[in-house]
Every structure is written in structure tokens, then in C-alpha cells.
Amino acid sequence: MSVSSEQKVEQAPEGHAPHAAPAARGGGTSWWKDEAQEPLRRNLGLVGVLLALFAIGAFIRPDLYSNADWVINNIMVILTQAAAIGVVTVGMTFVIIGGGIDLSVGALIALSGVWATTLATQSFGAAGMIFTAIAVGIGAGLVNGALVAYGRLVPFIATLAMLVAARGLAAQISGKQTQISNDMFINSIAKERILGIPLLAIILLVVAGLGWVLLNRTTFGRRTVAIGGNAEAARLAGINVRGHTMLLYALSGLCCGIAAIMLTSLATSSQAAAAELYELDAIAAAIIGGTLLSGGRGTIVGSLFGVIVFSAITNLFAIANLPTEVQNMVKGAIIVVAVLLQQVRFSSVTQFARRHGLTRAKPQT
Amino acid sequence: MNEQPAGAAAANTGEVVLRLSDVVKTFPGVRALDGVELEVRAGEVHCLLGQNGAGKSTLIKVLAGVHRPDSGDVQWLGEQVAFSGPQAAMKAGIATIYQELDLVDYLTVAENVYLGHEPRSLGFVHKGQAARQARELLGRLGHGEIPPHRLVKSLPAAGKQIVSMARALSHSAKLIIMDEPSAVLAHDEVGNLFRIIRELTAQGIAVVYISHRLEEIREIGDRVTVLKDGRTSAVNLPARTTPTRDLVSRMTGRSIEYVFPPRPDTEPGEKLLEVRGLGRSGEFAGVDLDVHSGEIVGIAGLVGSGRSELLETVFGARQAEAGTVVMDGRGLPPGNVAAAVRAGLGMAPEERKSQALLLGQPIYRNMTLTNFSTYATAGFTDTGKEQAEAMRVADQLELRPRDVRRAVRTLSGGNQQKVVVGRWLLGGTRLLLLDEPTRGVDVGARAELYQVIRDLAANGVGVLLVSSEVPEVLGLSDRVLVMREGRVVRTAPATELSEEDVLDLVMAGSLTAATTEEVAA
Ligand SMILES: Nc1ncnc2c1ncn2[C@@H]1O[C@H](COP(=O)(O)OP(=O)(O)OP(=O)(O)O)[C@@H](O)[C@H]1O
Ligand SMILES: [Mg+2]
């Protein structure tokens, strides 16, 4: 090797004394910086929020919170209130991870609920009602999916149109009347408890569990994440993007059908104005649970925690006798903070800290 | 500074504008830069060489204010600096063309060029002026035909590259950094790029130039700094006179015979793919081609000659308007990728970031994107199996890092490219369409990749290859198709064509084109 005078060829690695040996390349990763651990960090954060809400509650009403039975019962109330919206949020999480959005969920719940409680449907009994609610939800979801996948409508617009249309149809079917459910079985669902746990909460946990398996363990889930991450790459890899998009909206519709039965049972009735603004709550819960609005990332567990946090806030305000206006402002603030956390990722936080001298630049040995 | 070879002489006359010493940058789990030195003088073209993942892009991102170094010293124009962000670096006179294009798809060409520094008065953007100036810059780059009001999304990869070059030129910079600018450019465009670089350096502007093509570095470079595993393994080598052997061994720590694998003596097997009269208006027309089992067919042609569009149409990613695609004697439905994949076709597309990769997802999931369901039982994925299979391909392609659970986002450009190609090596593919498969892949891995492609062919896979690098098309293929302006103008065994022949054919004017077509017919 001929080396001209100005060139400098590096000596053996030991020449670079201040730095660690090459082994340091690819060395250990602290878990709070690892991108793969992000969902875990976020879920821990949401658990922290829940604990904080609990502490606040205990501070405001020490009388109630000192009673163990009441506390347990209150937790069950929170879960019951979270149940229907939670089921919808599971479907919503899939749609958002797949790169879409479903604004029609509230309207679909109303439509399914109304359709399932017409006198004609009720004459088929509980099974007929459940079947109808689910079939209507899936059917409307398929229409959403077809509009998005084959009609090439933007999901926002397609499901917004469905929102308006489904509420209209629900009003038409019910004649704007509240339809009372006379079915004993349907009405008993909301009152049932198994081992002290409300059946509605159990339904939520089952749906979330199935959703978790579907998202994380099956090819369906893999396709969802792939399409949301990069639809063009998924298409060029041979994935049937349109067909799968249809299924995602149908899944969301299915969840709406289930939620419709749950709400009907809670109220022992259905009406066209039911489940108003559920779409916003479901989207918000998914997002504070770490689902990326642009698609490709999200977790069912995060969404579940998101829903429970919202439910716990509502509960806390009820206990503290605070007005719902304040409650909505708090919810809004939580959404903003959650999205900010999503954008300012941990690495940037540490970078920020370093830049402003909040931490040492780098341990120099 | 004595006994300097001619090449570096000019460079040494300029004063030092940039000096880096002992720069360290770590990412979680990776020490990307581990004590890097760099010295750049005014008016020189300073080349950075190094294997995929050596830290070149990380280094230039430190210079461009994208990354903050963990430690080390950056001196710009004699002063120690720490840029707070890209905007600050630009203000200080450092413009950067990134390896992964950073254009906004839904803005126009002119808006992209002047993004962040729009010509304006009283807070109003001068759209007309921006368009005028953009047109002028594009003209200087030899691409006056790109309309400033076009959406960037609608441009081909090479066009996007030109736009980001125009953006870099739109800042009156003292240092322009180019991270593999030639990777998406065809031969004549590279000539164009070099002309511009020479204009810039003549004005005393310094250029930092990254490329894996050594012949380019010989042609345009003044001095070379070599990175290896995040360290400088050599600084300020003369670009023209340092023997290739030296450069390669400083990059890789070993010597690589940069050759194409030998062609087998065996005749290709039965016909796999038969394309007849394929056409799409404005892109290509009347294309006939066959690919046999075990055969590598190369397509040469300029960017814009319709080669990528042809490949995508064969694959069904674009809907054919005329003609047929037949695989194994059965016609493929036009515009249906899923059917093509089921029939055994696979395609590594031209643009890895937008067309091929799930950047936020692990390497192994990107690799198995086409066939994860084949490892699944009853719809349940088997990630263990997937990871094992991805590991196998990663080893084959020398992917770094080897941990296939890492997000693709954290890989260097060349390693991302290996993931795109590697996806189709998992098996099951019988006809592979490769669009610029070695884009951004370093010399060592490139030789491996050639061998892998040849091995595939030896196992009966048919390969249809598009590349801007004529030597690659000639060296790797058995048979070559030359395309110009959407038509195949020549088909011949690779051994019967020389590089000059092909270049003449792809660039010939329309008059000679007519005669060659007759010859070919
Ligand atoms: N954002 C990131 N997070 C984690 N690791 C990263 C990140 N960016 C780069 N790296 C790692 O840093 C190392 C250097 O990468 P870099 O992109 O600088 O390589 P390069 O020399 O430009 O390679 P190529 O020739 O392939 O473009 C690689 O090991 C890469 O995986
Ligand atoms: Mg790079």
C-alpha cells in the first residue's frame, strides 16, 4: 500500500482511546429509548393516569373511597360504562391502523339498535334481535368499505356520508320514537354479573381479547398493519388491499352491532339519537392509546386503556359533582397531551433535554 | 503537502471551510459515528466512501443540522458551530441533498424547491417569481422540461432527484452535500450532474459527494475520506490515483474482486414469461419479450424510456392498455398484482421508500410481506419461523445490523435496499422483476447480490432486470433488451453487445433509431 504524505490511515482501534471498543456498536439499549417498547411505555403511562384519577377521587371523597365494597363496585360501574364504547373502539382501532377512519360508528349503533328493536324484529326473540343488529352493522360497514376501496372516496367523506344517512334511516325506521325492548333476555344482559363482574364488561374484555389476537397473531392483523403502514408497498407485495379494506370497515360495523345490543340492554330501549358522538370518543380513545392517526401503528390494549381512562374521568366528575362542561374540557386537554406525546418521541425529548443542558451530554470515560 | 498527485492539487489551494474532529453520534443500540474526522476545502469535491451502514449519511446529517453529535468538534468557516436544526445549517451556507428524498408529494415542483425560503414581500409569496426561478434552476440542471407547477408526486424518481438538486442550488450555499445523488440517475444524467458540480466548484463552492460507484469518484472527486464502522479509516486520499484495491480494502477490511458471476454453459429452460404487444399510451408500446427459466434478461435504457413502467405493467401494478402477459402458458389479468404474485411473479420496485418498505416495522416483517401467510397455520402467523427465514436472507445479503426485529427505518439506505430485494429471495418466486436492484448497495454487497441473483437463475428462476448501469446489465444478464422512448430497439445476447453499443442505442437520435429498428426486426 502506497500512502502519500498527507494521508492519514487509521491505526488500530486502540488509537481512539476515549471511545469504547467496537463492541459498543450494537450494544445494549435502554428500554425507555427503544422504539419497540413505545406501546408498553404508553400503557404504563395510562395506568399511571388511572392511578392518579383514583388518587384524586380518594382525595375529594375520602368517605366513599374508604369503603372497599364501594370502590370495587365503582370500578365495575366504570367498566360497564366503558363497555359499549370500548367494543366500538376495538373496531375503530383496526380501521385506523389500516389507514382509514370510521365516523359512522355512532350512527351505525343507532341504526342497528333501532332496527333490532322494531316490533317485527322483536317477534323473532333475542336471537333475531342480536342477529339483526349484527347483520345491519356488518352490512353498513361493507357499504363504507366499498365506498372507500372501490368508490375511491376518502374514508372521512365516505363515513361522514354514512353517518348522516344512517341516522336518517334510523329516524325513519323508528318514526323518531323511542322503541322499548320487551325482550327479557336482551334486557337482562346489562344486569347480569358473572363472579361479580358485569356481563357487559366481560363482553368488552372478550371482544378486546379477540381483537388483540386478530391484530397481533393472525395474517389478517398483519395485512391491516401493512396496508396502514404503506398501502402501495402492500399492494406491490401482492396483498389484496381493496378487499381487506372492505373487511376492516365490516369489522367496525360488526362491533357497532354488538355495541347496539349492549346499549339497548342498558336502556331497555333504542332510539335514532342513541350513541351520539361515539365516533369522537372512540377515535379519541384509540389515539390516546397510541394508535397513529395516519395508520400503520396501534395497539388494542392501548385503546382499551384509553376508553377506561375516559370512563374513569366521567365517573370522577360524577362523584365530585362537577359539571360536564369541565369534564369535556379535561377530556380535550388529555387528547392534546396524548397526541403531543406521540409527536415528541422519547428520543427528541432526550435530545431536547440535552440541548438545554438538562442532562449530561454523554458520559465520557 | 508535498508530492501531491495532480488530482488533489487543485483542492489543496482552497482554504479549509469545514473541519470535523472526533465526532461521535449514537442511536439506541448503535454507535453510528465513532470518532470521525473530515476536512473539506473550498472548491473541492470531497468524496465519502464506505460500506452500507458505515455512517456516511449519519455524518452528513450531522453537518446538515439534522442530528446533533453526541460529542466532537465541528468547525465551519473557522468557527466552532452547533447547528440547532437544518434551517440553521442552511442559513450558515450548507445545503444538502439527502439520500432518501425529502420532497413534499402534494406540493408543486416550484413550491418544493423554495420550501422554507419562498421569495416573498410583505409576507406574500411570489408564486410567479418562484416558478420563474425554479424553471431557471431546472434549466441549469438540464431539465427545463420539468414544469414548475407539476405536483412532485407525479414525477418519476429521477425527476424528484433533479428537484431536490434544484432545491439545494436554490440556497446560495458555500457547501453542498450530496448523498448518493447518482443512484437514481441514468448515465447521461450523471454527466449532467458532474457538469453542474464543476460549475459549482469553479465558483469556490465545496461539494461533499457520496457514491458507491468508484468510477464516479475517480471522475469528479478530488479527495476521498473513507469511513468504516463509524470511524475514519483513511482521510484525504487523492481521488484519482489511489488504487481501487486500497480503497476497497479500507472500506471493507478485505479485498473484493468486483466481478460478475460467470454465466452457466447450460441453455435456459422452458419459457416462463411471454409478453406480446404490451403497451400503455405515453409510456411504451408494442413490447414483445420472453423470459425463460434460468435466464437473466436485462433491460437497458434511459430514465423515461419506459423501462420501469414496462416492468410495473408486466407485474400488474399498472394496468396494461394493449397486449398480453402470459406466465406458464396462462394469461395474467391486467392490473392485478395479487394474481401475478400467485402466479409466481415478484417485483422489487424502483422506489424503495414509497413503493416497497414499511419503514416503521421490523426488518423481518418487511421481508415476509409477500409471503407471511405461507408460514401461517390456519391464519395464525408464525413470527419465529418468519424471523428465522429473514435471518437466512439477511446473512445471504450481508444485511447490517443482523437483528431482524429492528425497524427498517433505522437501517442505512443500502441496507434498506437489501431488504427490498431480499423479500423475493424467501422462495416461491419463479419470475423476478428487478428494478434497479443494486441502487445504493456497496461494492462488496453488490458482488454478493449478483451472485445471489445468478444462483436463483441456476435454480430455475427467470429474472427480468432493469438498471441504469449499463455494465451491470451487460455483466449480469444473458440477454439484453435496449429500450428507447417506449420501444424495444434491440434484443441481443449480452456477449454480443459492448457498453458503447448500448449507450449509442439508448441515446441515438430518431433518425438512427428508425434504421436500428429495421435491423432489429
Ligand atoms: N435513526 C436511526 N436509528 C437507529 N440507527 C440508525 C438510525 N439511522 C442510522 N442508523 C444506523 O447507523 C448506522 C449508519 O447508518 P448510515 O445511514 O449513516 O449509513 P451509510 O454509510 O449512509 O450507509 P449506506 O451506504 O447504506 O447509505 C447504521 O448501522 C444504521 O443502522
Ligand atoms: Mg446512506
Side-chain angles (χ1 to χ4, degrees):
Chain A
M1 272 188 216
S2 66
V3 176
S4 93
S5 63
E6 206 201 22
Q7 302 164 12
K8 196 173 92 185
V9 177
E10 195 207 62
Q11 323 79 309
E14 303 84 73
H16 281 262
H19 304 298
R25 268 176 76 92
T29 307
S30 48
W31 76 272
W32 54 276
K33 273 170 120 184
D34 188 353
E35 201 179 347
Q37 301 296 333
E38 207 272 341
L40 182 61
R41 283 195 298 269
R42 176 178 294 269
N43 290 344
L44 286 178
L46 289 171
V47 170
V49 170
L50 281 175
L51 290 177
L53 289 173
F54 188 86
I56 293 171
F59 180 74
I60 298 176
R61 295 292 302 269
D63 50 329
L64 292 176
Y65 277 77
S66 57
N67 179 343
D69 283 346
W70 181 88
V71 167
I72 290 174
N73 195 48
N74 192 41
I75 289 174
M76 296 308 159
V77 170
I78 291 174
L79 285 177
T80 307
Q81 277 169 353
I85 189 76
V87 168
V88 174
T89 303
V90 170
M92 182 70 81
T93 305
F94 272 89
V95 172
I96 298 181
I97 292 176
I101 192 117
D102 189 349
L103 297 183
S104 67
V105 289
L108 293 193
I109 292 174
L111 179 63
S112 303
V114 165
W115 206 319
T117 49
T118 58
L119 290 177
T121 315
Q122 290 203 34
S123 68
F124 289 99
M129 291 169 72
I130 293 173
F131 175 82
T132 305
I134 286 174
V136 168
I138 292 178
L142 283 173
V143 173
N144 275 336
L147 290 175
V148 172
Y150 296 95
R152 305 265 172 109
L153 286 185
V154 186
F156 191 95
I157 302 296
T159 57
L160 186 64
M162 177 59 80
L163 183 167
V164 177
R167 287 254 182 235
L169 183 56
Q172 175 81 29
I173 291 173
S174 64
K176 298 189 185 162
Q177 301 295 310
T178 298
Q179 296 182 164
I180 306 292
S181 159
N182 299 316
D183 190 278
M184 294 316 291
F185 178 76
I186 296 285
N187 293 351
S188 70
I189 294 175
K191 302 184 189 82
E192 197 65 51
R193 285 189 177 222
I194 296 175
L195 298 176
I197 303 172
L199 182 56
L200 290 184
I202 292 176
I203 294 175
L204 170 61
L205 291 179
V206 168
V207 168
L210 290 176
W212 186 90
V213 171
L214 192 62
L215 183 63
N216 296 300
R217 291 283 179 268
T218 69
T219 55
F220 182 92
R222 184 69 67 80
R223 275 184 219 113
T224 307
V225 181
I227 289 171
N230 185 342
E232 177 68 359
R235 185 176 78 98
L236 292 184
I239 293 173
N240 181 351
V241 175
R242 290 180 180 182
H244 192 80
T245 302
M246 290 269 289
L247 292 181
L248 286 177
Y249 286 93
L251 180 67
S252 177
L254 164 68
C255 290
C256 293
I258 298 172
I261 294 295
M262 296 164 86
L263 284 187
T264 303
S265 173
L266 268 174
T268 65
S269 69
S270 280
Q271 51 168 327
E276 204 132 34
L277 294 188
Y278 264 40
E279 53 278 4
L280 295 191
D281 279 354
I283 293 168
I287 285 175
I288 75 165
T291 300
L292 214 56
L293 246 191
S294 53
R297 204 172 77 196
T299 64
I300 298 291
V301 178
S303 293
L304 197 59
F305 276 127
V307 171
I308 294 175
V309 164
F310 275 160
S311 179
I313 291 172
T314 311
N315 181 260
L316 184 63
F317 275 79
I319 290 167
N321 259 328
L322 285 170
T324 44
E325 293 77 23
V326 183
Q327 173 187 333
N328 287 340
M329 293 194 303
V330 170
K331 278 188 185 174
I334 286 189
I335 295 170
V336 171
V337 170
V339 174
L340 280 180
L341 274 180
Q342 205 159 53
Q343 283 165 355
V344 190
R345 294 239 290 283
F346 267 72
S347 57
S348 355
V349 172
T350 52
Q351 222 169 41
F352 177 87
R354 192 179 299 141
R355 193 167 306 164
H356 295 268
L358 300 177
T359 62
R360 274 188 305 152
K362 190 182 177 306
Q364 297 277 350
T365 41
Chain B
M1 228 168 278
N2 45 350
E3 59 171 36
Q4 271 305 306
N12 285 339
T13 57
E15 87 265 34
V16 174
V17 290
L18 177 76
R19 195 192 295 279
L20 264 66
S21 40
D22 232 0
V23 168
V24 174
K25 172 74 197 170
T26 51
F27 294 110
V30 185
R31 217 166 230 263
L33 299 178
D34 193 11
V36 169
E37 332 268 321
L38 181 67
E39 176 198 279
V40 182
R41 291 170 185 266
E44 78 160 330
V45 178
H46 198 106
C47 299
L48 279 181
L49 267 181
Q51 282 182 289
N52 296 135
K56 305 180 293 297
S57 298
T58 307
L59 178 61
I60 65 118
K61 282 183 185 158
V62 165
L63 295 179
V66 176
H67 292 325
R68 284 217 123 197
D70 297 351
S71 66
D73 198 44
V74 180
Q75 289 204 4
W76 171 240
L77 303 177
E79 277 173 43
Q80 186 159 351
V81 289
F83 297 124
S84 57
Q87 210 69 27
M90 269 176 214
K91 277 226 180 70
I94 300 179
T96 310
I97 301 171
Y98 296 99
Q99 181 174 18
E100 305 298 341
L101 295 177
D102 58 338
L103 302 175
V104 184
D105 267 351
Y106 286 97
L107 288 183
T108 66
V109 170
E111 285 165 343
N112 265 289
V113 169
Y114 285 101
L115 194 62
H117 63 124
E118 297 85 359
R120 67 184 128 193
S121 50
L122 300 172
F124 290 97
V125 177
H126 277 294
K127 281 211 162 185
Q129 193 185 338
R132 228 174 11 255
Q133 291 176 0
R135 193 189 311 273
E136 194 187 331
L137 283 171
L138 292 166
R140 234 176 101 196
L141 289 163
H143 281 272
E145 86 284 358
I146 299 180
H149 55 265
R150 267 270 287 277
L151 280 190
V152 156
K153 186 180 168 52
S154 66
L155 294 179
K160 291 182 184 167
Q161 183 73 59
I162 304 289
V163 174
S164 54
M165 239 139 52
R167 180 197 276 182
L169 292 182
S170 73
H171 302 273
S172 37
K174 296 193 187 65
L175 169 67
I176 298 188
I177 304 170
M178 306 184 179
D179 196 352
E180 301 194 29
S182 59
V184 295
L185 299 182
H187 192 82
D188 61 325
E189 314 238 2
V190 175
N192 221 334
L193 172 66
F194 286 179
R195 184 178 52 73
I196 291 158
I197 291 179
R198 290 201 184 94
E199 271 174 29
L200 292 171
T201 51
Q203 297 164 20
I205 294 170
V207 172
V208 169
Y209 188 89
I210 301 180
S211 173
H212 289 292
R213 301 180 189 162
L214 291 179
E215 61 286 1
E216 287 179 6
I217 282 158
R218 302 263 185 238
E219 192 182 333
I220 194 72
D222 293 309
R223 297 189 299 169
V224 178
T225 290
V226 184
L227 294 188
K228 179 172 187 303
D229 296 340
R231 294 156 183 261
T232 20
S233 67
V235 298
N236 302 339
L237 302 171
R240 285 180 187 103
T241 49
T242 310
T244 301
R245 179 170 34 85
D246 280 11
L247 289 177
V248 170
S249 72
R250 281 187 191 145
M251 275 161 67
T252 63
R254 60 190 168 143
S255 65
I256 284 167
E257 299 300 318
Y258 179 61
V259 287
F260 295 97
R263 296 190 177 83
D265 313 325
T266 50
E267 286 290 300
E270 85 278 21
K271 190 190 281 181
L272 289 177
L273 181 78
E274 182 183 280
V275 173
R276 290 293 174 267
L278 202 65
R280 270 174 64 87
S281 60
E283 291 175 354
F284 57 90
V287 174
D288 296 343
L289 71 90
D290 293 333
V291 182
H292 298 85
S293 160
E295 187 183 36
I296 303 179
V297 178
I299 301 179
L302 300 181
V303 173
S305 62
R307 10 165 249 190
S308 296
E309 292 82 0
L310 171 63
L311 227 57
E312 290 182 8
T313 310
V314 169
F315 191 53
R318 292 172 188 244
Q319 181 122 21
E321 291 169 3
T324 54
V325 178
V326 174
M327 175 77 182
D328 292 325
R330 264 187 290 161
L332 292 179
N336 189 336
V337 173
V341 170
R342 273 197 303 278
L345 272 73
M347 181 175 78
E350 182 180 18
E351 242 182 293
R352 56 179 172 250
K353 203 168 153 189
S354 65
Q355 294 185 296
L357 293 173
L358 310 172
L359 288 172
Q361 290 178 37
I363 295 169
Y364 79 90
R365 288 193 178 198
N366 273 275
M367 288 232 194
T368 59
L369 184 63
T370 61
N371 71 340
F372 58 84
S373 48
T374 59
Y375 306 122
T377 346
F380 286 86
T381 53
D382 182 347
T383 49
K385 185 90 181 294
E386 286 180 44
Q387 290 181 19
E389 287 292 297
M391 260 326 258
R392 184 173 62 75
V393 172
D395 283 338
Q396 222 176 348
L397 296 179
E398 302 194 344
L399 191 77
R400 294 194 308 169
R402 290 294 157 90
D403 181 359
V404 293
R405 285 165 310 184
R406 284 180 65 126
V408 164
R409 187 195 307 285
T410 68
L411 294 185
S412 77
N415 283 299
Q416 292 184 0
Q417 182 64 31
K418 293 181 204 170
V419 173
V420 173
V421 178
R423 171 181 300 170
W424 300 103
L425 304 180
L426 289 169
T429 309
R430 299 180 44 244
L431 182 84
L432 199 51
L433 311 170
L434 300 172
D435 198 350
E436 304 280 5
T438 59
R439 167 179 294 174
V441 174
D442 71 49
V443 279
R446 190 175 280 233
E448 299 293 331
L449 193 53
Y450 291 148
Q451 187 61 54
V452 166
I453 293 173
R454 191 38 94 181
D455 290 346
L456 278 178
N459 287 325
V461 174
V463 178
L464 188 57
L465 164 89
V466 162
S467 172
S468 293
E469 289 179 60
V470 177
E472 181 168 288
V473 175
L474 290 178
L476 190 59
S477 320
D478 299 313
R479 207 148 49 78
V480 174
L481 272 63
V482 183
M483 278 187 84
R484 187 183 55 234
E485 288 162 13
R487 291 190 171 270
V488 178
V489 293
R490 179 86 194 268
T491 305
T495 46
E496 287 176 17
L497 289 170
S498 71
E499 199 174 334
E500 290 72 37
D501 294 342
V502 175
L503 287 176
D504 282 351
L505 277 168
V506 297
M507 297 205 245
S510 48
L511 213 158
T512 41
T515 48
T516 355
E517 254 162 23
E518 277 156 33
V519 171

